[in-house]
Amino acid sequence: MTERPDTVGRENPRVVIVGGGFGGLEAAKALAKADAEVVLFDRHNHHLFQPLLYQIATAALSPANIAAPIRKILAKQKNCEVIMSEVTEVDLENRTVTVTDQRYAYDYLVLAAGARTNYFGNDVWSEVAPGLKNISEAIDVRSRFLLAFEQAEIETDEEARRAALTFAIVGAGPTGVELAGAMAEISRQTLRADFRHIDTSTVRVILIDAVDRVLSTFTPELSDRAQRDLEQLGVEVVLSTRVVDVRPGLLVVDTPEGEERIEAANVFWAAGVRGVRLGGTLGVELDRGSGSPGRSDHPGARARRRSGRDPNGPLRGGDDRGRGAGVCSRKTNPGSESVRLPGQGIDGHDRAEPRDRGHPWATLRRLPRLPGVGLHPRALPDRVSPPADGDA
């Protein structure tokens, strides 16, 4: 395994950032004027605006509309290097990260590697019920959604036809709500005149969640309004209902009245997220629910929570350089975090004030307009819902 040059004796500290999502990009840009060498790793060469994945899944947007090259975004930042590779291991004791067949030493480490779909110990369900965390999954959902109408059009068995036109969405958070609403609207309006042997207005879109209201992280008033709007679109909202099994063509749920079987040819999973597997290599305690790094007493690790609060205090390690890992355990609003070098603010000045730009869409509107990408605010729908932390 190749060893990259150590950080000892370097004029400027090296900050390694894992992940080119919202958190990783904001951390890199915030250090543009700092006396630091910034290295950003991502296994993809593009930044993905995940809150709009549901529009890829429902054929409202092209994947190119919500992706932009990371190198292009950071091209003018001279102290930042972008490397397309996957970080597979973090060694907090020796302050190195393993990337393919190389080890990179760091002075500061920011983990913003994102999240993966949480099947709550039933990962085998992913084969039947795809999640919605990346472009390939969004394209898979789109294919299943659109091909269901084609299958129903030629299906001669009425029971099989009803199953083909039944879409069950597990999880009534922002992703599930957006997906259910879009699928119901497309079925009843956009596709209504396109088929000769099926009535697309009879499509069943079922939104299922174990909690007692949709958008449970929002206020009850907003949850009630969202549910009314969904039901007006024709979505069947099923709450206080837990999924106990997912099989091809069949969803088994546990309702307050007992177990129920729903014949649905397509099931989509939007029920939760958990930390990426990289967190398991840190050697620190992981949150039992999310699988993300929790509070740590390790001198080289500090956890950043979704609220932006730091349970361990400032991002400082155990030696004179304050070497340590800043762990963004879940996605936060872009720009709402503050990462500090010792004695400096995030921008290299002698203060560390959070640079909260207020709204998640601000990141999208700061991305460049690129030839062939079409990423521009005017290309986006006027009425979209902002994501909740950790959802997209």
Side-chain angles (χ1 to χ4, degrees):
M1 181 174 292
T2 305
E3 298 280 351
R4 295 286 294 206
D6 203 342
T7 61
V8 176
R10 300 180 66 87
E11 180 179 352
N12 295 323
R14 176 185 289 165
V15 181
V16 167
I17 301 172
V18 182
F22 292 129
L25 280 183
E26 285 301 315
K29 291 189 289 184
L31 292 169
K33 296 181 180 180
D35 295 326
E37 173 191 330
V38 181
V39 184
L40 187 148
F41 292 96
D42 196 288
R43 58 182 175 176
H44 302 292
N45 67 349
H46 60 271
H47 168 73
L48 177 65
F49 193 76
Q50 288 186 328
L52 288 182
L53 275 173
Y54 81 97
Q55 295 216 15
I56 306 299
T58 53
L61 288 176
S62 163
N65 289 125
I66 65 169
I70 297 174
R71 294 184 185 278
K72 187 68 175 181
I73 297 170
L74 299 173
K76 295 182 180 180
Q77 186 168 328
K78 301 304 180 183
N79 70 338
C80 183
E81 177 184 4
V82 177
I83 298 177
M84 179 181 165
S85 191
E86 183 175 6
V87 175
T88 57
E89 185 179 355
V90 175
D91 186 343
L92 292 178
E93 296 295 337
N94 297 306
R95 299 184 179 96
T96 63
V97 296
T98 300
V99 182
T100 313
D101 60 347
Q102 292 185 327
R103 285 198 184 99
Y104 280 75
Y106 65 80
D107 292 298
Y108 302 92
L109 175 64
V110 178
L111 292 185
R116 55 194 169 108
T117 302
N118 190 358
Y119 289 93
F120 305 100
N122 300 285
D123 290 348
V124 67
W125 293 351
S126 64
E127 299 177 6
V128 182
L132 194 60
K133 294 299 297 177
N134 53 53
I135 287 178
S136 62
E137 289 180 343
I139 292 175
D140 183 23
V141 171
R142 181 182 68 185
S143 297
R144 294 176 187 232
F145 176 59
L146 295 178
L147 290 178
F149 294 96
E150 302 296 341
Q151 177 62 33
E153 176 77 352
I154 61 174
E155 184 61 65
T156 56
D157 181 75
E158 184 60 30
E159 191 171 308
R161 177 181 292 178
R162 284 199 303 269
L165 294 178
T166 299
F167 303 94
I169 300 166
V170 182
T175 296
V177 166
E178 290 165 337
L179 193 60
M183 286 184 171
E185 187 174 24
I186 289 171
S187 301
R188 285 163 172 73
Q189 299 179 22
T190 309
L191 300 179
R192 190 162 188 174
D194 291 359
F195 295 90
R196 299 293 176 266
H197 303 291
I198 58 173
D199 180 2
T200 61
S201 66
T202 64
V203 164
R204 291 184 69 194
V205 178
I206 309 171
L207 181 63
I208 303 168
D209 205 304
V211 299
D212 59 358
R213 59 189 178 95
V214 303
L215 300 176
S216 60
T217 58
F218 289 65
T219 65
E221 293 77 16
L222 290 176
S223 294
D224 292 342
R225 172 60 188 271
Q227 182 170 343
R228 289 197 303 272
D229 289 347
L230 286 170
E231 290 172 344
Q232 287 177 3
L233 288 171
V235 177
E236 299 176 33
V237 180
V238 180
L239 302 173
S240 301
T241 297
R242 185 173 58 91
V243 174
V244 296
D245 196 12
V246 182
R247 308 171 197 169
L250 182 65
L251 184 67
V252 183
V253 296
D254 184 16
T255 73
E257 290 75 32
E259 188 173 281
E260 181 180 341
R261 300 160 71 90
I262 301 173
E263 294 187 5
N266 289 285
V267 179
F268 306 118
W269 196 270
V273 296
R274 63 183 289 107
V276 295
R277 293 180 178 87
L278 180 62
T281 71
L282 293 174
V284 299
E285 182 181 354
L286 301 181
D287 180 82
R288 291 181 62 186
S290 68
S292 299
R295 183 179 180 90
S296 172
D297 294 325
H298 194 288
R302 295 295 183 266
R304 287 279 176 177
R305 292 293 189 178
R306 63 188 297 179
S307 63
R309 299 186 184 93
D310 185 344
N312 297 105
L315 180 59
R316 293 181 181 174
D319 68 350
D320 57 346
R321 270 192 171 178
R323 302 178 181 186
V327 181
C328 296
S329 60
R330 302 181 190 176
K331 181 177 70 61
T332 60
N333 285 351
S336 64
E337 295 284 350
S338 174
V339 179
R340 286 184 279 182
L341 303 183
Q344 291 184 325
I346 196 168
D347 55 1
H349 297 295
D350 293 332
R351 62 184 183 278
E353 299 175 358
R355 294 169 50 177
D356 192 348
R357 294 177 176 85
H359 199 282
W361 304 106
T363 291
L364 178 64
R365 298 186 184 280
R366 289 199 302 277
L367 294 181
R369 188 173 187 176
L370 306 175
V373 173
L375 184 59
H376 191 275
R378 292 193 184 90
L380 300 176
D382 292 331
R383 301 182 67 182
V384 287
S385 301
D389 291 346
D391 178 70

